[in-house]
Structures are given as C-alpha cells and as structure tokens.
C-alpha cells in the first residue's frame, strides 16, 4: 500500500502526531528495524489491495545514542544508555514481544496541539537532559479495563489509552515506553541473528488462539499470500497454486496450479459470478512491479484465457452484475467483457487519489473509493456504457489518515468500509458512515491483513503470522478472523 502521509518528524525523534495511526516515523521503524535485524521479508507483498512501497530508513540504536542534539551532554547520553542497559532480561523480552503485537502504535484519541508541543519538548528533555518518568505505562488485559486514569496499553492491539487531560509524567511514560521497545528490538534481534540465544525466537509467534466461529487457524498447505471471497468459497493463492476452501473451514483443496514465474505474485482475485475466477498476476522488478497478467479460470479450474496487461499495472479487480471485469490502475479503470476484450475505460482525475479499492454494490454496479483532497474520501459510481463516473457519496468516512481505506458490499447497509480507525457501515444517502467497531475491538490486529466482506454480511480478515525461524525459511501461522459488523456496540 502506498504511503501518502508525509513524515513530519526527524528520524532521530519519537513522534506521535494527532492521528491515531502513524504511517511514518518512529512507530513504523519499530517493526521495520525488527525485520531488518531478523532478515524477515518486511517488503513481502500480500495480495488483496496492497501496494508496493519503498523501504523505510532505519535508525540504528548505536546511531541514536551517538547523536548530540542541541545542548545534549555526554552525561545525558550516558544516563539514557544506562537506563536502557538497566532493563533486566524479563523487561527486554516483554518489550521485544510487544513489537510483534502490531505494526504501528495507536492512540484511542488524537493528541491536542498543546499536548503535541509538550510531547516534543519532553522528548528532547528525555534524550538531552535525562529526564525520565517516575512510573510507567499500565498494561491492560482488555481494553474495557481502562478506567480513564493514567496511560493504559492494550498490548494485543498496540493501543495506548489516554486520559482526557494528560500530564507531563504520563507523556514521559509514553516516551519511555517507545524508547525501550526500540532498544529491546536491537538487543534481542541481534542476538537471534548471531545465534547468541538459542530460544530467542520464542516470541516470533503472536497469532491469536483459534476460537470457535470467530478466529480459525488454517490447517492447509498453501503459503497464503492472497485471499478473496466468493459466494460459497474462499480462494487462497500461494506459490504456483490456488486452492478453494469452504467459508468457515480450515483446510483447502486444489483449484488451479501452474508455474506463475519466479518474480510473479497473485496480487488480487475476483469471482466471476459463475464460480469461476479472475486472477491478477504482477511481476516484480528491481524496485517495483513491471507488468502483469489477468487469468480467467472456470469453476472446474480450467484456464479460459490469459491476457498480458502490458504497461498497465492493475491493483484492484471487481465484477459487475453483467459479468464485466473492472481493473483499476492509479489513473483509470478498464472494463473487459467475458472474453477479455476491452470495452471501455474510465479516467480518474489527477486531483483524485485512488485507494485501490473497487467493489460491486448491492445494486450490481461497481464503485471505487478515492480521495478528492487529503484525508477526504469519496465514493465513485462507475459507468461502463458512458465511460464516466458519478459521485455516489462525498466524504462518507471521517477525515483522517488515508492508509488502508477499503470498500466492500454490505448486507444490511450498502457498503462496509474500514481503515485504521475502525470498521464502518454506510448506505447511499446517509450523512456519513457509522462506526460499528473500533480498531482495538477486533479479534486480531488487521494492519497488513487481507480483508473482504462475505455474502452473509460478515467481514473476514486473514493474516499470516511468523511462527519460527527468520528470513525466507520462516514458517507462518495463518488466522481467519470473522467479524459481524452489524452487532450493536
């Protein structure tokens, strides 16, 4: 997924802006640093509405400790280093495990401008003067345990709960927590690579326990990189294989197999309305995708046709009520008939940002989720006969970070939408979307998850968790998490 939210902070600073999710800066470097140390594939692209993105800059701990910022003294640096080194093994392992709970840290509310200013000032005092908190962030077993007093960490979702009025001490506790997480990653991560600690990888598995009906552990053999929903089945793609699995099941059966190519990945799939499947293959170049193919497979798993996409790089697929295929690039949506012949195209204006998210609505028409201004969402209704679009909804989602905005057909509502703030339902004509689930209420962290809506109205999140080992040899645990967005909060 392409990151369009600029990094406001210097790379030697912790920064938590007014948004609940931080797409750049220190919070993302936590897991990026971890991946860089352990050799895990941090740039592995999972299918289903993901975009290529460049690797982020990593600030090694040694460099951070050697920085002299403003009036920083060596004594202050020594105090900082001493504080980090004074953590015992249990503390190091706790913070290290926390880094695996999610890819970014979230607030339950935005910081005010005044709190942001104090945060920056206190962070400088922490680094340059050795000003440390007297206490520490309190850990919550469940987000409902938060009483509104102090700073609470719901570790399972990397969510920090803040009081209505936050003190300097409480801001220092957050700053202290983040520094310790980064230090533990460097310390234990290097030990894993160097083989200095035999059981150092016991924290690699953070997949949630399987639960009846809500979280199901996949027991099949596919190295799952892309998942899509059909009317009756789920389709799972991996290396040179696509399998089909009953919704709610845990094992899959072969559907289509072929050598996709060394640099090819199944990026998206979409059922054709007759239990056949459209498959989007993308070919990875040195820095980005360089072409692809669209395959059309019938319900028996036989190839009907394959079509080179040429210079067009598609990121999303949808099929309308008449069986026409829609394929979206950055700047246009192309429509194909059942035989793969292009019938029309719809340009996306240059002042719009496509969110790489198409869906067939309840009315059988295809809709696209875009932005017409930073953090300002719109839903476009696509007209294949006219080659034009119409504005179906203006700003249905609350203004906020654009990452991971996704739209899908609803059941009771016209659409289901989700982003890093939560899960929403929306019907055409409504004033705005209704939030039906907070991010931290979900059974698993859905950042980097594959997500889709099912015909019965539920939303499915699929996520692969590293289980053991590092790098390309690492195994994975895959969890299928079913969520009912229509449950009253």
């Amino acid at each position: 997924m392409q990151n369009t939210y600029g990094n406001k902070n210097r790379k030697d600073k912790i920064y938590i802006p007014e948004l609940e999710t931080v797409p750049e800066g220190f919070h993302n470097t936590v897991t990026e640093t971890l991946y860089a140390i352990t050799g895990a594939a941090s740039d592995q692209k999972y299918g289903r509405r993901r975009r290529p993105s460049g690797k982020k800059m990593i600030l090694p701990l040694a460099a951070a400790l050697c920085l002299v910022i403003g009036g920083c003294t060596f004594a202050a640096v020594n105090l900082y280093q001493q504080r980090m080194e004074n953590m015992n093994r249990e503390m190091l392992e706790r913070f290290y495990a926390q880094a695996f709970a999610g890819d970014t840290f979230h607030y339950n509310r935005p910081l005010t401008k005044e709190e942001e200013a104090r945060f920056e000032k206190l962070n400088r005092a922490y680094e340059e003067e050795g000003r440390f908190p007297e206490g520490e962030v309190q850990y919550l077993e469940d987000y409902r345990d938060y009483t509104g007093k102090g700073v609470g960490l719901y570790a399972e979702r990397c969510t920090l709960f803040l009081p209505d009025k936050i003190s300097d001490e409480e801001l220092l506790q957050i700053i202290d927590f983040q520094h310790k997480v980064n230090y533990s990653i460097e310390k234990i991560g290097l030990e894993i690579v160097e083989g200095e600690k035999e059981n150092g990888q016991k924290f690699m598995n953070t997949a949630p326990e399987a639960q009846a009906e809500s979280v199901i552990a996949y027991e099949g053999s596919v190295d799952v990189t892309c998942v899509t929903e059909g009317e009756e089945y789920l389709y799972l793609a991996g290396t040179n294989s696509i399998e089909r699995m009953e919704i709610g099941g845990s094992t899959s059966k072969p559907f289509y197999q072929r050598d996709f190519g060394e640099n090819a990945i199944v990026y998206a799939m979409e059922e054709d309305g007759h239990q056949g499947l459209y498959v989007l293959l993308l070919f990875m170049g040195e820095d980005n995708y360089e072409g692809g193919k669209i395959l059309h497979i019938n319900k028996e798993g036989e190839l009907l046709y394959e079509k080179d996409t040429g210079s067009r790089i598609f990121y999303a697929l949808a099929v309308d009520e008449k069986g026409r295929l829609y394929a979206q690039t950055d700047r246009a949506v192309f429509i194909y008939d059942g035989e793969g012949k292009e019938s029309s195209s719809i340009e996306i204006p240059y002042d719009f940002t496509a969110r790489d998210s198409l869906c067939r609505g309840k009315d059988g028409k295809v809709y696209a989720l875009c932005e017409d201004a930073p953090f300002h969402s719109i839903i476009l209704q696509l007209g294949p006969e006219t080659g034009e679009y119409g504005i179906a909804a203006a700003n249905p989602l609350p203004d906020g970070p654009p990452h991971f905005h996704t739209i899908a057909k609803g059941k009771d509502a016209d659409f289901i939408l989700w982003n890093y703030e939560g899960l929403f339902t929306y019907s055409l004509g409504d004033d705005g979307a209704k939030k039906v689930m907070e991010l931290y209420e979900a059974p698993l962290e859905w950042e980097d998850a594959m997500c889709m809506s099912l015909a019965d109205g539920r939303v499915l999140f699929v996520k692969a968790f590293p289980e053991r080992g590092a790098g390309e040899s690492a195994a994975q645990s895959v969890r299928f998490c079913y969520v009912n967005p229509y449950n009253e909060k």
Side-chain angles (χ1 to χ4, degrees):
M1 181 180 303
Q2 190 175 33
N3 192 336
T4 59
Y5 185 72
N7 184 2
K8 297 180 180 179
N9 59 303
R10 294 170 52 178
K11 294 182 178 63
D12 59 329
K13 298 287 185 180
I14 299 176
Y15 180 77
I16 304 180
E18 58 187 342
L19 305 175
E20 294 176 3
T21 304
V22 184
E24 294 282 357
F26 180 83
H27 297 286
N28 268 4
T29 69
V30 167
T31 47
E32 287 291 338
T33 302
L34 178 60
Y35 287 134
I37 292 171
T38 61
S42 62
D43 59 348
Q44 179 182 5
K45 296 298 181 292
Y46 293 100
R48 197 68 186 175
R49 305 178 181 113
R50 290 295 307 267
R51 291 287 302 273
S53 60
K55 290 187 177 180
K56 299 177 178 65
M57 295 292 291
I58 308 300
L59 178 68
L61 180 71
L65 293 176
C66 292
L67 288 171
V68 179
I69 309 169
C72 179
T73 66
F74 286 108
V77 172
N78 289 336
L79 284 173
Y80 176 94
Q81 188 167 1
Q82 182 179 6
R83 184 173 182 82
M84 298 299 109
E85 293 176 349
N86 280 345
M87 285 191 288
N88 60 31
R89 192 69 197 182
E90 181 181 356
M91 293 176 66
L92 282 171
E93 291 177 347
R94 183 183 68 180
F95 287 116
Y96 180 76
Q98 177 60 48
F100 276 105
D103 296 329
T104 52
F105 293 94
H106 309 272
Y107 282 147
N108 70 319
R109 68 165 178 85
L111 288 179
T112 66
K113 295 295 183 182
E114 184 272 336
E115 289 168 342
E116 284 183 14
R118 281 196 291 131
F119 185 97
E120 291 292 339
K121 182 178 179 180
L122 290 168
N123 185 52
R124 287 193 296 270
Y126 184 97
E127 295 175 338
E128 301 171 14
E129 302 169 15
R131 181 178 176 182
F132 305 129
E134 297 180 2
E136 62 179 19
V137 169
Q138 56 181 304
Y139 280 73
L140 306 173
E141 292 293 329
D142 189 281
Y143 67 90
R144 288 175 285 258
D145 294 338
Y146 184 63
T147 62
K149 297 181 179 180
V151 176
L153 173 68
Y154 182 36
E156 189 174 345
R157 296 293 176 274
C158 286
T159 301
L160 288 159
F161 285 80
L162 311 180
D164 292 337
K165 293 183 178 180
I166 189 166
S167 66
D168 287 356
E169 163 67 18
E170 290 160 343
L171 286 173
L172 281 170
Q173 290 174 11
I174 297 173
I175 292 167
D176 187 55
F177 169 78
Q178 299 296 344
H179 277 285
K180 288 177 177 177
V181 168
N182 199 36
Y183 179 84
S184 69
I185 291 170
E186 293 279 356
K187 182 71 174 177
I188 296 181
L190 287 173
E191 289 180 0
I192 291 175
V193 173
E194 297 169 1
E196 294 179 4
K197 182 171 174 56
E198 214 171 89
N199 64 345
Q201 296 170 15
K202 64 182 179 180
F203 304 105
M204 294 288 284
N205 185 6
T206 57
E209 293 295 325
Q211 304 169 16
E213 296 184 356
S214 61
V215 179
I216 297 176
Y218 176 60
E219 299 175 357
S221 59
V222 175
D223 55 329
V224 180
T225 59
C226 183
V227 178
T228 197
E229 78 287 357
E231 290 296 320
E232 298 181 17
Y233 301 99
L234 300 176
Y235 298 87
L236 287 61
T239 304
N240 301 327
S241 176
I242 298 173
E243 297 199 359
R244 197 159 57 184
M245 184 171 75
E246 291 186 359
I247 294 173
S250 60
T251 58
S252 55
K253 297 180 180 179
F255 175 66
Y256 179 74
Q257 292 183 326
R258 67 177 280 177
D259 185 355
F260 294 138
E262 182 179 357
N263 297 320
I265 183 172
V266 176
Y267 192 86
M269 300 183 288
E270 195 75 16
E271 200 174 57
D272 65 2
H274 304 285
Q275 294 188 355
L277 193 66
Y278 287 104
V279 178
L280 173 62
L281 292 177
L282 292 184
F283 302 109
M284 193 68 192
E286 183 176 350
D287 298 315
N288 215 323
Y289 293 118
E290 297 178 350
K293 287 184 177 181
I294 293 177
L295 313 180
H296 191 189
I297 305 164
N298 67 17
K299 65 179 181 181
E300 283 79 29
E302 301 167 341
L303 181 66
L304 298 176
Y305 71 79
E306 63 180 74
K307 178 181 181 65
D308 287 327
T309 64
S311 61
R312 295 171 181 169
I313 305 298
F314 294 122
Y315 298 111
L317 301 177
V319 176
D320 68 13
E321 61 184 350
K322 296 183 178 180
R324 291 172 294 203
L325 174 67
Y326 296 63
Q328 183 184 30
T329 69
D330 280 332
R331 300 264 53 94
V333 178
F334 296 86
I335 296 97
Y336 301 92
D337 63 20
E339 297 178 353
K341 181 180 178 181
E342 183 179 325
S343 59
S344 62
S345 63
I346 303 169
E347 291 187 4
I348 298 174
Y350 278 93
D351 54 347
F352 285 13
T353 301
R355 297 314 315 164
D356 306 335
S357 186
L358 299 175
C359 81
R360 180 171 69 186
K362 291 172 66 176
D363 57 6
K365 300 175 183 177
V366 171
Y367 294 82
L369 184 63
C370 298
E371 292 175 1
D372 60 352
F375 311 154
H376 193 278
S377 59
I378 57 172
I379 298 175
L380 306 182
Q381 179 183 310
L382 305 180
E385 288 85 7
T386 63
E388 299 178 351
Y389 66 86
I391 304 295
N395 205 28
L397 286 167
D399 290 352
H403 314 284
F404 202 47
H405 279 0
T406 308
I407 186 171
K409 180 175 69 172
K411 184 182 179 183
D412 296 347
D414 288 334
F415 301 106
I416 298 173
L417 305 103
W418 52 88
N419 63 9
Y420 283 153
E421 293 194 12
L423 193 65
F424 299 80
T425 58
Y426 177 76
S427 291
L428 296 173
D430 288 352
D431 292 335
K434 175 185 178 183
K435 183 183 285 189
V436 292
M437 178 176 286
E438 296 282 357
L439 176 70
Y440 51 80
E441 292 177 320
L444 58 75
E445 169 74 37
W446 63 53
E447 188 167 358
D448 283 332
M450 295 163 274
C451 44
M452 60 221 70
S453 67
L454 305 178
D456 62 10
R458 290 180 296 172
V459 173
L460 172 62
F461 296 95
V462 183
K463 186 165 183 173
F465 297 82
E467 189 172 62
R468 61 180 181 275
E472 295 182 357
S473 62
Q476 65 176 5
S477 296
V478 181
R479 295 292 186 266
F480 289 75
C481 173
Y482 295 86
V483 174
N484 183 357
Y486 300 104
N487 286 338
E488 291 297 326
K489 292 185 61 177

